[in-house]
Amino acid sequence: NAGVTQTPKFQVLKTGQSMTLQCAQDMNHNSMYWYRQDPGMGLRLIYYSASEGTTDKGEVPNGYNVSRLNKREFSLRLESAAPSQTSVYFCASSEALTGQGYGYTFGSGTRLTVV
Amino acid sequence: LAKTTQPISMDSYEGQEVNITCSHNNIATNDYITWYQQFPSQGPRFIIQGYKTKVTNEVASLFIPADRKSSTLSLPRVSLSDTAVYYCLVGDSPNSGYALNFGKGTSLLVTP
């Protein structure tokens, strides 16, 4: 099992450019998430999708859009990149653990620099 | 959402037991307590989860008092490779409106 796969791993954008970060999971999880991590700020939730067909804003959604393409894929789009969006982006998925609460699996991250 | 409070940082020497406590005063009846570990340049990974009393696995133990308003992650005999950020999370399923808030976690530094 690959788990959660994010592409690309690294990206440099110029201010104003657009791009889409891709995320796919092969664990048949219902819920998927996008986070950003900046030095000293911890992980902050951008958007999440509790199930296929639904998306909701998290703590820092401004400047981003998401698409839950199907159960496996959840993409994050930056329409007009800004230097403040320089960060490491993590995708995650979750499902209920047997007899317990939810467990989350994270991808390895996308390091994005906007110049 | 149950808000959590944990120390920003902790230091330890190799071989010691490390206990990281997390406060979650407004935990709900259906909420589980989950701890994650994150190494630099990697995504967080699941360590342990519990609902009440004590849970132990090959990596750590989780102690939860009867009132469930706090929890303690215990790492026995830490090594240098345990240097990481540890996150305490409290919640139920995403379908109940719960979305994962990791916060800043506790940065653990283990030295020789």
Side-chain angles (χ1 to χ4, degrees):
Chain A
N1 273 346
V4 177
T5 302
Q6 292 183 236
T7 55
K9 293 191 183 302
F10 301 93
Q11 184 71 48
V12 179
L13 289 178
K14 294 182 179 179
T15 298
Q17 286 185 319
S18 62
M19 80 160 294
T20 299
L21 279 64
Q22 306 287 352
C23 176
Q25 52 94 4
D26 61 3
M27 298 169 287
N28 203 35
H29 287 177
N30 279 318
S31 304
M32 298 185 73
Y33 312 79
W34 276 105
Y35 292 86
R36 61 177 289 174
Q37 186 168 40
D38 304 299
M41 297 296 293
L43 282 155
R44 294 185 290 171
L45 181 67
I46 306 172
Y47 271 94
Y48 70 102
S49 171
S51 60
E52 186 178 357
T54 69
T55 59
D56 286 283
K57 295 179 180 179
E59 181 184 359
V60 289
N62 291 342
Y64 305 95
N65 285 300
V66 291
S67 296
R68 184 73 183 267
L69 304 171
N70 47 55
K71 191 172 185 179
R72 289 188 63 249
E73 299 172 288
F74 189 40
S75 63
L76 178 72
R77 183 162 179 83
L78 287 70
E79 291 291 351
S80 179
S84 61
Q85 294 178 304
T86 293
S87 189
V88 180
Y89 291 85
F90 289 101
C91 177
S93 67
S94 73
E95 193 57 85
L97 302 174
T98 302
Q100 302 182 58
Y102 276 69
Y104 299 79
T105 303
F106 279 80
S108 57
T110 295
R111 191 172 297 273
L112 176 67
T113 301
V114 183
V115 298
Chain B
L1 299 178
K3 181 179 171 62
T4 61
T5 303
Q6 54 183 122
I8 293 296
S9 64
M10 295 182 68
D11 296 329
S12 179
Y13 292 109
E14 272 190 300
Q16 290 189 326
E17 178 183 74
V18 171
N19 295 308
I20 306 174
T21 297
C22 180
S23 297
H24 28 80
N25 291 319
N26 59 337
I27 188 170
T29 303
N30 294 331
D31 287 344
Y32 283 81
I33 301 159
T34 313
W35 286 80
Y36 289 80
Q37 176 190 56
Q38 185 182 26
F39 297 116
S41 301
Q42 296 184 25
R45 73 177 186 120
F46 175 97
I47 301 178
I48 196 166
Q49 185 177 81
Y51 184 80
K52 60 181 179 181
T53 62
K54 176 184 174 182
V55 180
T56 297
N57 62 22
E58 65 278 5
V59 176
S61 294
L62 179 60
F63 298 92
I64 305 168
D67 66 5
R68 302 200 329 122
K69 294 184 182 300
S70 67
S71 59
T72 299
L73 175 73
S74 180
L75 305 171
R77 298 179 299 282
V78 294
S79 63
L80 299 178
S81 63
D82 291 316
T83 292
V85 178
Y86 293 83
Y87 299 93
C88 164
L89 291 105
V90 174
D92 186 23
S93 82
N95 294 325
S96 62
Y98 156 60
L100 203 60
N101 289 307
F102 276 77
K104 298 181 181 181
T106 297
S107 181
L108 172 65
L109 176 63
V110 180
T111 55

